[in-house]
Amino acid sequence: MRNYPTICTSAHLRTTKATAKIAKDIEQALDQLGIEHIELQNTNDYWCRDYMPVRLFEDGAYCKYTYRPDYLWDYKSKHQYITEQSDACKELDLFTPTDMGIIFDGGNYVRCNGKVIITDKIFMENPHWSAEELLRHLHHALCAEIVVIPWDMSDPCGHADGMVAPLDDGRLLLNNYAQDKKSKDFCKRLHKILDAHFEVVDLSFECKPDPDSWCYLNFVNLYNAILLPALSEDFDCDNDKEAIRVMQDLFPNKQIIPIYAKPLIKEGGALHCVTWEYVPNKQQVVP
């Protein structure tokens, strides 16, 4: 029998009418797919990807860290939105053999082919560490080679999961920087680093990309489907239709399920940001 991760969202996703609709749509899609899901109760906002432990291996080993992001910590009025990781996890049966012992953010963690991709914002968040020491520490804590890419400064959070995503065949999907004239030099810099480690696929669309077309990379990859953020409520704008086509080509054996996510996208995130994969202690996950 195959066991797959339970998909978690924060109960905070239901606190506004707009985001509650997204929570309901995610729940309905998971029910349709036969995938278990739960809500995290002890949280202070709905971006649960950012404050929950990062998963090291498919068998459910996780790594803890200190969640104190500057985009919240530097503003006293935003401290209320900082979730204590220990509080969010206290009702879960998690196997957490390692603790980074540094300031980290789960949105800045993309694992692909045994390597972990993070942006260089990690150095700014931990200035008391030298770059060499920090990378060595991350290598041991995360049991992986660390690949550092430049921070996309249009994202104040500095997250890698808005820039790259692993594909099922081991390749790495890079967001559609190549289609933006302003980002072409930045795209070349990314390729120069990533091409040395991965076979990189550029996300691109045959229609004119919407300014928010970055959102499509922030999908949820399930064993039998892709939950794809959408910009239009009926998934019928040119960008949505093209994104569905492209994702079906990239994931030919999976169902593509679009979910209207504009309320999240306007805040700088999408579906990957508001979900997290939970594998209980000692549960075996069969690929």
Side-chain angles (χ1 to χ4, degrees):
M1 179 180 178
R2 292 172 180 260
N3 293 314
Y4 298 97
T6 296
I7 301 301
C8 302
T9 56
S10 166
H12 272 269
L13 198 57
R14 297 186 184 275
T15 55
T16 71
K17 183 178 180 180
T19 58
K21 176 65 165 57
I22 296 171
K24 182 179 179 181
D25 289 346
I26 292 173
E27 179 182 319
Q28 289 180 339
L30 296 174
D31 285 340
Q32 172 192 332
L33 295 165
I35 295 176
E36 293 186 5
H37 52 87
I38 60 174
E39 286 190 338
L40 302 167
Q41 300 299 320
N42 303 301
T43 62
N44 292 335
D45 74 22
Y46 46 67
W47 305 108
C48 58
R49 178 71 56 178
D50 299 344
Y51 48 75
M52 297 303 289
V54 295
R55 186 158 58 125
L56 303 179
F57 306 110
E58 291 296 300
D59 65 359
Y62 289 84
C63 184
K64 297 183 290 185
Y65 52 88
T66 300
Y67 178 65
R68 200 178 69 192
D70 58 0
Y71 53 85
L72 297 179
W73 184 256
D74 289 353
Y75 305 92
K76 191 172 182 179
S77 63
K78 295 184 178 181
H79 285 192
Q80 62 183 311
Y81 302 116
I82 298 177
T83 295
E84 287 293 331
Q85 193 175 89
S86 57
D87 291 341
C89 296
K90 67 183 180 182
E91 295 180 359
L92 303 176
D93 182 19
L94 277 183
F95 177 47
T96 53
T98 58
D99 188 333
M100 289 186 227
I102 62 170
I103 295 173
F104 196 78
D105 188 326
N108 195 20
Y109 176 89
V110 176
R111 198 172 191 99
C112 182
N113 280 349
K115 299 180 180 182
V116 168
I117 305 158
I118 61 175
T119 72
D120 54 12
K121 188 170 186 282
I122 189 73
F123 301 123
M124 187 182 76
E125 293 170 330
N126 296 277
H128 51 291
W129 291 75
S130 71
E132 182 180 356
E133 289 174 331
L134 184 58
L135 290 175
R136 184 165 54 246
H137 182 73
L138 285 167
H139 169 73
H140 290 296
L142 298 176
C143 306
E145 179 181 347
I146 308 300
V147 179
V148 181
I149 58 176
W151 172 14
D152 180 351
M153 299 298 286
S154 66
D155 170 22
C157 300
H159 289 170
D161 74 345
M163 301 175 67
V164 293
L167 297 173
D168 292 343
D169 58 10
R171 296 179 297 168
L172 186 72
L173 184 62
L174 177 64
N175 218 336
N176 59 331
Y177 295 107
Q179 289 191 286
D180 183 353
K181 292 181 180 179
K182 297 178 182 178
S183 299
K184 286 199 171 182
D185 288 341
F186 183 62
C187 187
K188 288 178 182 178
R189 290 177 62 202
L190 291 172
H191 267 287
K192 189 170 184 179
I193 296 168
L194 294 171
D195 288 349
H197 300 274
F198 310 97
E199 181 181 347
V200 180
V201 178
D202 285 281
L203 186 60
S204 63
F205 308 110
E206 292 182 359
C207 62
K208 181 181 179 181
D210 185 279
D212 287 330
S213 62
W214 58 265
C215 73
Y216 298 118
L217 186 116
N218 202 256
F219 56 85
V220 180
N221 190 352
L222 307 168
Y223 81 93
N224 56 355
I226 299 294
L227 303 187
L228 182 68
L231 293 172
S232 56
E233 294 190 59
D234 295 322
F235 326 128
D236 57 356
C237 70
D238 289 344
N239 275 247
D240 282 353
K241 290 189 287 187
E242 178 65 4
I244 292 169
R245 182 193 68 78
V246 169
M247 285 298 171
Q248 194 65 79
D249 287 344
L250 291 170
F251 297 95
N253 299 318
K254 293 186 175 181
Q255 182 180 356
I256 309 301
I257 302 178
I259 293 177
Y260 178 65
K262 190 73 171 181
L264 298 177
I265 295 163
K266 287 192 290 188
E267 294 187 46
L271 300 183
H272 189 261
C273 298
V274 297
T275 56
W276 179 73
E277 298 81 22
Y278 170 47
V279 181
N281 191 12
K282 298 182 181 179
Q283 177 178 321
Q284 294 299 310
V285 177
V286 181

